Amino acid sequence: MSYALIVAEVRRGIFEERNLDSIGICAQLGKETAMLLPEGQYSFNEKMVDSIVKVKAGEEVFLNPLNMAAIIGKIAETRGKPDFIVFTHSSSGTEAAAYTAGIFGFPVITDVSGYDKERGVFRKSYYSDKLFGEFKTIGESAAVLTVRSGSFKEFAAEKSAAPNEVSVEDVPVSDSRTFVEYVEEEKTDIDITKADFLLSVGRGVGNKDEIPAYEELAGIMKAVISGSRPVIDKMWLPKARQVGTSGKTVKPKVYLAMGISGAFQHIAGMKDADCIIAINKDAEAPIFQYAHFGVVADMHKVRDALKGILKG
Amino acid sequence: MNILVFTKRVPATQEEELRLISDGKDVDFSKLPFKVNDWDNYAVEEAVKIVEKGGGAVTAVSIGSAESDEVLRRAIAMGAKDGFLVEVDQALHDPFARSALIRNFIQKEGTPFDVIFTGVQSEDDQFASVGGILAALLKLPYVSMVIGIDSVEKDHMIVRRELEGGLQERVRVATPCVVSIQSGINEPRYVSIMGIRKASKVERKSFKGTDYDAGKDAHIELVQWTYPPKKGGAQMLTGELGDVCAKLMEILKEKGVYQ
């Protein structure tokens, strides 16, 4: 039977919304869908898939790439080889996708954000969305995909019948990689998700010594300062101030992005702000595609000019 | 502990305009500067930190053109003992092809290692797949998005993986294994020009990719490059800087975040 296997991402019992993009791409591919889920009850519209395969294992076993490859092997034995194996483009989804591709010798394309039906090509980001590469698979074997959040969910639709449900038992569990525990981020006084006005700085800030001047500007404007990944990685701002998928998702009234080019993981964390203003010296920066207002300029000059106006 | 760490030379595309040439079959890199892949820089630092503390040696390996010697010298300046270049004539776009080449190289040369480090992804193609495919091909356990190494023991490591929304997962992984390092795990040391010059005196070994069937195991092919799809786009504020900033302040007042 020709079908696509969707590996659902659940985290701490929550069915992640980006699974809808995995369902959506399967609709585009015109494939019947079987969705793999760990044991537990999840809140989502089950009618959007043709069948549900419940794996008798907790999420920490299920999301382990070594176990997942073994589970997929078991399913292929009974159902036949899938045409596609679809994961979310997330920390665990991408990890398991690459490993699965290696185990079975399948092609893998990650961070897929477009599919051209006529030409049978998948589109993926290069250079932080400055370019896209169009790929097709070679040969007839199943292809492993990870799907970018927000790219295909509009195509996820209800099927006419409720899904049939089967379960997989005797899950092979690896002892060479095992889950120990979840680790929460340290609690801090500042909560950037509650701010109405965020002044966010990115890689363009260039130098740690420039940060205090932005903190000063934020202070005068009564904005809360935040940052994108490169600034947090370099420890120029604390982790609690990070906007993006691995940090916080924010929805302020105004998001003033200075020197942020707009990598997808950042956009995902701020795209729902009421008003996005982007300042970047690169006119081609992807962030201008998502912003409401844009200024092509040196961020430091804008900072100093704003300070001049506010102090004057 | 002996650590093999992979490092890649990539174009520095931040704030650079990328131009497609030959009807989208190629990207014009002729005017771009090149640099070490950010994630690999963190991976090299993490490897060097581990051997500085617990003994062993770091070997840096780069797959690429002859110019990739730059990133090997850099890794040696940071503390790697050896640098191996596996030279390929053209970019291997398929991560499967790259992982297969690495496997062939490691197996044919009998390169000893306890752990293999890669960066989570490379800045250019963002596939984030080479480490995972390589682990599977070598039949080793795999951990990616590693944002902290809590302990390194004789037969295992305890590491932390970065998940979404600030959450992490602590994992025990048996060695030998493949680990993909996330950016921000450490503070990569500063490398001076003097340091790189000194590193140049350390001999690097060069290998020919064709001796390891480079490119033979491709599972996907690049059809063409395209520019990003245009969305709505921002309303651009132009003119004198003072006027632009005055306009910005008006917007902030209008949105009610500044009085």
Side-chain angles (χ1 to χ4, degrees):
Chain A
M1 189 188 89
S2 154
Y3 73 107
L5 189 63
I6 299 171
V7 178
E9 185 194 1
V10 294
R11 184 66 71 189
R12 302 181 118 180
I14 306 290
F15 181 88
E16 297 284 353
E17 199 189 323
R18 52 183 165 263
N19 289 315
L20 299 185
D21 296 290
S22 303
I23 296 171
I25 197 173
C26 292
Q28 288 290 88
L29 292 164
K31 293 290 169 191
E32 273 193 28
T33 48
M35 178 175 264
L36 268 182
L37 278 162
E39 58 191 3
Q41 293 302 315
Y42 305 100
S43 153
F44 73 103
N45 184 353
E46 297 191 349
K47 284 186 83 174
M48 291 195 296
V49 293
D50 297 297
S51 60
I52 287 180
V53 183
K54 274 278 177 76
V55 178
K56 277 252 182 274
E59 68 182 49
E60 67 287 348
V61 166
F62 180 84
L63 291 171
N64 178 330
L66 282 67
N67 299 334
M68 181 44 67
I71 292 166
I72 291 170
K74 266 191 91 136
I75 289 165
E77 275 173 28
T78 52
R79 282 190 170 243
K81 217 165 63 175
D83 298 319
F84 294 94
I85 305 173
V86 182
F87 294 84
T88 59
H89 191 67
S90 61
S91 172
S92 290
T94 309
E95 185 188 53
Y99 188 80
T100 300
I103 289 289
F104 297 105
F106 293 161
V108 61
I109 308 174
T110 58
D111 197 11
V112 173
S113 58
Y115 174 65
D116 184 327
K117 261 189 207 173
E118 263 104 82
R119 294 159 58 231
V121 298
F122 296 94
R123 196 159 52 238
K124 90 173 288 298
S125 162
Y126 265 66
Y127 310 105
S128 297
D129 285 13
K130 283 196 154 185
L131 289 181
F132 283 74
E134 291 187 339
F135 285 92
K136 65 181 180 202
T137 60
I138 302 169
E140 297 300 312
S141 79
V144 179
L145 308 173
T146 73
V147 181
R148 177 178 281 199
S149 162
S151 301
F152 294 97
K153 65 178 172 194
E154 66 195 272
F155 304 113
E158 269 193 14
K159 315 263 177 182
S160 50
N164 68 322
E165 193 172 322
V166 293
S167 65
V168 176
E169 297 180 19
D170 305 322
V171 174
V173 178
S174 161
D175 58 4
S176 60
R177 172 180 156 171
T178 49
F179 174 85
V180 179
E181 61 186 343
Y182 283 125
V183 184
E184 302 263 7
E185 192 178 313
E186 275 176 48
K187 291 270 178 285
T188 53
D189 297 340
I190 192 76
D191 183 356
I192 59 169
T193 66
K194 298 221 162 70
D196 275 343
F197 180 16
L198 284 172
L199 191 173
S200 215
V201 292
R203 190 193 296 266
V205 74
N207 186 321
K208 185 177 184 162
D209 301 336
E210 299 284 353
I211 297 281
Y214 286 91
E215 288 173 327
E216 193 194 340
L217 176 63
I220 306 170
M221 294 173 120
K222 299 188 177 58
V224 172
I225 197 153
S226 56
S228 65
R229 173 146 212 137
V231 171
I232 310 297
D233 278 352
K234 293 192 173 73
M235 300 176 201
W236 295 348
L237 283 175
K239 173 82 183 159
R241 305 251 180 192
Q242 184 181 351
V243 174
T245 47
S246 55
K248 301 283 192 321
T249 299
V250 298
K251 288 179 188 175
K253 284 185 186 158
V254 174
Y255 188 80
L256 176 56
M258 302 182 75
I260 294 176
S261 63
F264 176 72
Q265 289 81 353
H266 185 78
I267 301 294
M270 47 60 95
K271 64 180 185 331
D272 295 327
D274 291 348
C275 175
I276 298 167
I277 306 171
I279 297 163
N280 203 298
K281 68 177 170 195
D282 177 7
E284 303 294 321
I287 196 161
F288 289 126
Q289 294 298 318
Y290 300 89
H292 302 92
F293 299 98
V295 180
V296 178
D298 179 325
M299 65 187 282
H300 298 327
K301 287 187 180 151
V302 174
R303 173 195 66 197
D304 296 339
L306 283 172
K307 267 190 195 168
I309 294 174
L310 290 161
K311 282 181 172 171
Chain B
M1 176 169 268
N2 292 316
I3 305 176
L4 275 187
V5 57
F6 286 83
T7 179
K8 187 176 179 186
R9 179 178 175 266
V10 295
T13 57
Q14 295 280 337
E15 295 171 8
E16 300 284 345
E17 193 180 343
L18 293 178
R19 292 240 67 86
L20 299 183
I21 47 175
S22 326
D23 291 329
K25 294 285 179 205
D26 265 309
V27 185
D28 179 10
F29 292 124
S30 61
K31 291 186 182 68
L32 294 182
F34 280 73
K35 63 188 276 285
V36 64
N37 175 36
D38 236 359
W39 277 268
D40 298 339
N41 197 33
Y42 286 98
V44 170
E45 174 65 33
E46 198 61 22
V48 169
K49 264 174 63 187
I50 289 172
V51 303
E52 280 174 348
K53 201 172 153 206
V58 174
T59 301
V61 187
S62 191
I63 312 271
S65 64
E67 287 84 12
S68 295
D69 186 49
E70 275 167 36
V71 294
L72 293 177
R73 279 184 308 222
R74 196 174 194 289
I76 290 168
M78 287 172 80
K81 184 165 159 275
D82 290 304
F84 295 168
L85 171 67
V86 183
E87 210 180 322
V88 290
D89 314 339
Q90 49 190 4
L92 299 173
H93 294 300
D94 180 3
F96 207 113
R98 259 178 282 156
S99 303
L101 168 60
I102 294 169
R103 177 212 40 205
N104 296 346
F105 173 76
I106 289 174
Q107 288 179 343
K108 194 166 171 186
E109 297 304 321
T111 319
F113 65 88
D114 299 301
V115 177
I116 294 174
F117 279 3
T118 73
V120 161
Q121 63 178 347
S122 72
E123 289 169 56
D124 49 1
D125 66 39
Q126 305 169 292
F127 258 102
S129 301
V130 166
I133 299 168
L134 178 64
L137 295 179
L138 293 172
K139 301 187 168 54
L140 295 177
Y142 179 54
V143 212
S144 185
M145 298 289 278
V146 171
I147 193 72
I149 297 185
D150 293 348
S151 71
V152 178
E153 309 294 339
K154 211 168 148 254
D155 61 351
H156 73 275
M157 297 196 292
I158 305 288
V159 303
R160 275 176 288 120
R161 300 185 59 240
E162 182 181 83
L163 305 174
E164 284 75 20
L167 188 66
Q168 296 181 357
E169 173 192 24
R170 187 169 281 131
V171 164
R172 182 190 196 278
V173 61
T175 49
C177 61
V178 180
V179 175
S180 295
I181 300 289
Q182 173 65 320
S183 63
I185 186 175
N186 53 39
E187 274 184 274
R189 65 199 66 191
Y190 174 73
V191 177
S192 68
I193 294 177
M194 271 301 287
I196 291 183
R197 209 171 286 160
K198 233 176 106 190
S200 307
K201 300 203 176 81
V202 176
E203 197 192 337
R204 280 92 59 207
K205 282 191 197 149
S206 184
F207 304 84
K208 289 272 166 236
T210 44
D211 290 339
Y212 312 95
D213 288 344
K216 287 236 172 89
D217 235 333
H219 287 57
I220 59 172
E221 63 183 345
L222 178 78
V223 179
Q224 64 170 16
W225 302 99
T226 64
Y227 291 111
K230 291 281 176 216
K231 304 204 188 324
Q235 178 187 334
M236 302 308 284
L237 310 178
T238 54
E240 292 291 318
L241 188 61
D243 298 339
V244 168
C245 288
K247 176 77 184 134
L248 280 178
M249 291 311 301
E250 271 174 45
I251 295 167
L252 297 180
K253 282 176 189 161
E254 204 178 291
K255 299 287 167 191
V257 296
Y258 186 80
Q259 305 311 321

